[in-house]
């Protein structure tokens, strides 16, 4: 008896595919276009090829213990201590295995945070069993630095064994100075205070780690992967040196420092970055004469990728970021709730943040395999290139005199500014897509619920004696969101948003592609698109424009139809009262004639959409 599949060839019957075979097929698709068109570049200039061979002779990067889950950290940042305690207990009862206590004034507080007083700390930690394997991470800044002492005092006063606690104290004056752009003290004055605090905590029996090398500062400010890695290395080495100079043996100091990185929605770059940091830190440990030990590596999903518009897409971005950080061996992950950019997250947003990790761990079993990227050609290549470039920048900071001196000289800031400038340009041109903000907008989204609370107001911290360029956190979607805010203001004031009439010419086959593009572009700026079935008669087009109530119009069709009808259509729209007339497509030899007929500008893929939209609002606001 035979089966219908018996005559099908087996895998062994097929010839083995080679890179040359693949290249021939690709060249056929490219039809003469250069192969480099398929090659990407990161903001550090690192090349990303479309295909890589399998990496040979590589070992997994040592990170979390084999098959061990990462800590599911939950952000606690409610200004009311009792409310914060209720959140903490709820989170721990429903899957969180750690708490990230975010105090007001912390580097990543983002406008919220806990009150850094002994009374508030006692209320927040009431009922939290710190000696039961719960991870605790402190997010503090110069104004809230005493919170670390208050947590330690709470532990001792409640008879809890400090050695049984898993607390990362988050001492990080370098990151604080980078965010603030100034320091009241020199590095030589800072070191005794930091090392004194670390030695005091260690003497009480806490096992640490105590000092945090925080790369999120660079990432939040728009920096690149290489810059983030180099900053972590520079800060980590600065803290190691400081601790050793205070009389602590280097072998003991080794476990007193940990790192924080941002994880974003670029899966492969995030994985490569986390893997690279472990390799780089092991290189530093070896250079110090130490036997390398796995660095404790904490991750936060990225602040800069959050959007206020269509915030539910933030859930998808956070899922990808968590996936990447988890596979790359992060020891602890904090998912920023999807509504954090709008305000203080409500219970639903907090539950989603917590469950994002729980599902990936418990249902997808991501922690079961250690470093699954080992041997993957693309990720191994990225990891190696990040290591080389980050080490070079770290060496630059060392030559400058270390992390604090490099900040004073603007070494990191200048490089971050260049990366951000390039990133902003790509976002403006919608090459880097922010779904819901710069692409695929939803002008009819429902209002998102956040909690009502009053942020903690802290007194200014010290004199600004030593100033340097600051690295404040930004969100990439902010320029587009500012335009949406203008649209919302118009809706509130006049009952309608600004409108653009899509002047579709010909048949749907002629105009659909460009009309879809134009609708998306204008609505990213809050300008509502008025669609239609298309026109062949300029008089009917003009009448439909008048009936739409729009001030703006955008011609949409094929180049062939434009050649025959665009000038007449533009003239008809101008006569009908269109203040601004755009054409969907690149300028051609007919640009001068089209502008003479009334066309204001051209919108096309790769054009500066943000500048066009900003100019449109500016023109609309003119009398």
């Amino acid at each position: 008896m035979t089966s219908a599949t018996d005559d099908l060839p087996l895998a062994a019957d097929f010839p083995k595919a080679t890179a040359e075979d693949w290249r021939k097929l690709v060249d056929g698709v490219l039809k003469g276009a250069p192969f480099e068109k398929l090659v990407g570049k990161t903001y550090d200039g690192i090349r990303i090829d479309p295909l890589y061979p399998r990496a040979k002779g590589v070992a997994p990067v040592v990170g979390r213990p084999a098959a061990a889950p990462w800590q599911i950290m939950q952000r606690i940042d409610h200004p009311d201590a009792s409310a914060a305690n209720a959140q903490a207990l709820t989170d721990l009862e429903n899957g969180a295995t750690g708490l990230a206590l975010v105090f007001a004034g912390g580097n990543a507080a983002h406008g919220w945070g806990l009150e850094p007083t002994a009374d508030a700390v006692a209320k927040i930690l009431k009922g939290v069993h710190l000696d039961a394997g719960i991870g605790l991470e402190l997010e503090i800044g110069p104004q809230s630095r005493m919170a670390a002492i208050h947590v330690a005092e709470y532990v001792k006063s409640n008879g809890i064994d400090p050695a049984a606690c898993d607390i990362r104290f988050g001492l990080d004056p370098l990151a604080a100075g980078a965010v603030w752009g100034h320091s009241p003290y020199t590095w030589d004055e800072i070191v005794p205070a930091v090392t004194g605090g670390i030695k005091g905590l260690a003497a009480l029996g806490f096992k640490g780690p105590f000092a945090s090398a925080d790369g999120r500062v660079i990432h939040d400010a728009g920096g690149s992967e290489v810059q983030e890695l180099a900053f972590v290395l520079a800060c980590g080495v600065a803290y190691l040196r400081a601790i050793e100079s205070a009389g602590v043996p280097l072998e003991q100091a080794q476990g007193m420092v940990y790192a924080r990185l941002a994880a974003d929605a670029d899966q492969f770059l995030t994985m490569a970055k986390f893997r690279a940091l472990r390799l780089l830190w092991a290189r530093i440990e070896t250079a110090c004469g130490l036997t390398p030990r796995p660095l404790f590596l904490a991750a936060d999903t990225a602040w800069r990728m959050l959007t206020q518009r269509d915030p539910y897409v933030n859930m998808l971005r956070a899922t990808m970021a968590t996936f990447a950080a988890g596979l790359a061996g992060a020891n602890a992950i904090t998912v920023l709730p999807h509504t954090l950019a709008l305000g203080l997250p409500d219970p639903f947003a907090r539950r989603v943040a917590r469950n994002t990790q729980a599902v990936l761990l418990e249902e997808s079993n991501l922690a079961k395999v250690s470093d699954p990227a080992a041997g993957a050609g693309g990720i191994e290549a990225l990891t190696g290139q990040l290591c080389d470039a980050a080490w070079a920048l770290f060496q630059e900071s060392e030559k400058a005199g270390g992390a604090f001196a490099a900040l004073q000289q603007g070494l990191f800031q200048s490089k971050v500014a260049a990366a951000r400038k390039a990133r902003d340009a790509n976002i403006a041109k919608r090459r880097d897509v922010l779904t819901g903000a710069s692409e695929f907008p939803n002008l009819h989204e429902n209002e998102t619920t956040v909690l009502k609370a009053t942020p903690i107001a802290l007194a200014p911290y010290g004199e600004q004696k030593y100033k340097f360029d600051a690295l404040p956190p930004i969100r990439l979607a902010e320029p587009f969101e500012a335009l949406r805010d203008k649209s919302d203001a118009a809706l509130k004031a006049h009952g309608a948003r600004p409108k653009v009439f899509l002047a579709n010419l010909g048949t749907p086959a002629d105009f659909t592609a460009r009309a879809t593009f134009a609708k998306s572009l204008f609505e990213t700026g809050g300008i509502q698109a008025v669609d239609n079935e298309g026109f062949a008669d300029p008089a009917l087009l003009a009448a439909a424009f008048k009936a739409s109530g729009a001030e703006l119009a955008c011609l949409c069709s094929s180049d062939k139809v434009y050649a025959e009808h665009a000038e007449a259509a533009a003239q008809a729209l101008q006569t009908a009262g269109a203040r601004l007339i755009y054409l969907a497509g690149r300028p051609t030899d007919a640009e001068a004639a089209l502008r003479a007929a009334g066309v204001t500008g051209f919108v096309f893929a790769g054009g500066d959409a943000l500048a066009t939209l900003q100019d449109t609002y500016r023109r609309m606001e003119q009398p």
Side-chain angles (χ1 to χ4, degrees):
M1 187 174 185
T2 61
S3 166
T5 61
D6 285 350
D7 293 331
L8 292 178
L10 300 174
D13 296 331
F14 289 102
K16 185 177 180 179
T18 66
E20 290 74 20
D21 295 332
W22 174 82
R23 182 62 186 267
K24 288 178 183 178
L25 293 172
V26 171
D27 288 340
V29 174
L30 288 172
K31 298 178 180 178
F35 180 77
E36 292 296 313
K37 185 177 181 181
L38 302 180
V39 176
K41 289 286 182 71
T42 73
Y43 284 97
D44 293 301
I46 290 174
R47 178 185 174 101
I48 301 178
D49 287 305
L51 185 70
Y52 291 87
R54 178 182 298 175
K56 297 180 180 179
V58 295
V61 175
V62 179
R64 276 194 322 270
W70 63 81
Q71 289 180 348
I72 300 176
M73 305 298 293
Q74 186 75 325
R75 181 183 170 98
I76 305 296
D77 56 357
H78 199 297
D80 181 272
S82 297
N85 174 255
Q87 289 180 339
L89 296 179
T90 297
D91 291 327
L92 293 172
E93 290 166 0
N94 289 278
T97 56
L99 301 174
L101 301 188
V102 180
F103 288 90
N107 297 335
H110 304 306
W112 299 104
L114 309 168
E115 186 178 3
T117 64
D119 182 60
V121 166
K123 289 181 180 178
I124 294 160
L125 294 178
K126 184 179 180 181
V128 176
H129 301 290
L130 295 176
D131 53 355
I134 296 167
L136 200 66
E137 185 164 36
L138 309 187
E139 179 79 55
I140 58 178
Q143 299 158 294
S144 51
R145 65 194 185 283
M146 287 301 296
I149 303 301
H150 297 323
V151 169
E153 291 172 343
Y154 175 86
V155 170
K156 295 293 289 185
S157 65
N158 282 271
I160 302 171
D161 180 6
C165 297
D166 181 8
I167 303 177
R168 301 182 290 280
F169 284 88
L171 304 179
D172 194 0
L174 288 169
V179 173
W180 285 44
H182 69 83
S183 173
Y185 310 105
T186 66
W187 180 239
D188 289 340
E189 293 170 323
I190 292 171
V191 165
V194 174
T195 56
I198 290 174
K199 291 176 71 175
L201 291 168
L204 289 173
F206 292 98
K207 59 187 178 183
F210 306 103
S212 165
D214 192 351
R216 298 172 305 166
V217 170
I218 301 297
H219 195 279
D220 287 354
S224 68
E225 289 76 22
V226 165
Q227 293 156 13
E228 186 178 357
L229 288 170
F231 185 75
V232 169
L233 297 180
C235 293
V237 167
Y239 293 137
L240 275 182
R241 286 193 179 116
I243 297 168
E244 185 187 30
S245 71
V248 178
L250 200 54
E251 292 79 6
Q252 186 178 346
Q254 185 179 15
M256 293 181 170
V257 178
Y258 72 106
R260 287 170 164 171
L261 289 177
D264 63 26
D266 190 321
Q267 177 192 338
F268 293 152
L269 267 177
T270 294
M271 292 181 69
K273 180 175 69 176
F274 277 69
R275 299 174 83 246
L277 180 57
R278 291 199 178 281
L279 296 175
L280 288 164
W281 191 252
R283 182 175 180 178
I284 286 174
E285 290 173 313
T286 301
C288 292
L290 297 168
T291 300
R293 299 205 305 254
L295 175 71
F296 192 99
L297 181 48
D300 274 22
T301 58
W303 164 256
R304 78 182 186 199
M305 73 180 179
L306 293 181
T307 61
Q308 292 180 340
R309 301 296 174 160
D310 207 354
Y312 297 103
V313 183
N314 292 329
M315 296 181 189
L316 303 179
R317 286 185 271 262
T319 300
M320 184 57 71
T322 305
F323 179 87
L327 288 183
N331 297 92
I333 301 177
T334 304
V335 173
L336 302 189
H338 67 280
T339 59
L340 184 59
L342 290 163
L344 196 61
D346 68 357
F348 171 73
R350 296 180 60 80
R351 177 164 61 89
V352 171
R354 184 178 65 241
N355 287 351
T356 296
Q357 300 196 58
V359 169
L360 291 175
L361 273 175
E362 302 300 332
E363 296 187 22
S364 299
N365 294 303
L366 293 193
K368 297 299 183 183
V369 180
S370 299
D371 193 22
I379 298 178
E380 291 286 6
L382 279 175
T383 301
Q385 291 176 92
L386 287 176
C387 283
D388 292 342
W391 188 260
L393 181 53
F394 163 62
Q395 289 179 314
E396 279 189 58
S397 73
E398 287 292 280
K399 290 176 182 177
F404 192 83
L407 288 171
Q408 287 182 303
Q409 297 168 32
L411 173 64
F412 287 108
Q413 296 95 317
S414 62
K415 295 183 183 300
V416 170
R420 181 177 172 183
K421 182 178 180 181
R423 198 183 302 277
D424 287 346
N426 281 335
I427 288 170
K429 295 177 181 180
R430 304 202 301 172
R431 290 173 178 163
D432 288 357
V433 173
L434 296 168
T435 303
S438 69
E439 195 76 86
F440 308 113
N442 178 11
L443 294 187
H444 307 289
E445 59 184 303
N446 295 325
E447 186 175 352
T448 303
T449 301
V450 292
L451 299 179
K452 293 182 179 180
T454 302
I456 300 292
L458 298 175
Y461 173 67
E463 296 180 51
Q464 298 184 17
K465 287 184 179 180
Y466 306 97
K467 296 183 181 181
F468 35 85
D469 293 335
L471 290 171
I474 55 100
R475 287 184 304 100
L476 301 175
E478 287 177 293
F480 282 97
E481 290 170 351
L483 298 175
R484 293 283 295 274
D485 291 343
K486 286 178 177 283
S487 175
D488 287 350
L491 178 63
K492 185 176 180 179
H494 309 295
R497 299 185 184 278
K499 294 179 182 178
V500 58
F501 177 78
L502 301 182
N504 299 327
L505 305 178
T507 67
D510 296 316
F511 61 74
T512 297
R514 281 176 167 161
T516 301
F517 169 82
K519 174 181 170 65
S520 175
L521 185 146
F522 282 104
E523 292 195 346
T524 59
I527 301 173
Q528 186 174 349
V530 181
D531 210 347
N532 51 74
E533 298 300 320
F535 299 90
D537 184 344
L540 293 176
L541 174 68
F545 167 75
K546 279 188 174 182
S548 72
E551 292 183 82
L552 317 175
C554 183
L555 294 164
C556 302
S557 197
S558 64
D559 290 342
K560 180 180 179 181
V561 174
Y562 284 155
E564 298 175 4
H565 302 294
E567 288 182 43
Q571 290 169 350
L573 289 167
Q574 189 174 52
T575 301
R579 293 188 61 184
L580 301 172
I581 303 171
Y582 295 93
L583 183 141
R586 292 180 177 272
T588 63
D589 293 342
E591 179 180 0
L594 288 167
R595 288 189 180 276
V599 172
T600 306
F602 299 81
V603 294
F604 50 89
D608 194 328
L610 181 62
T612 296
L613 292 166
Q614 289 170 335
D615 181 67
T616 299
Y617 270 98
R618 185 168 56 251
R619 289 171 180 250
M620 287 193 297
E621 290 165 359
Q622 294 172 352

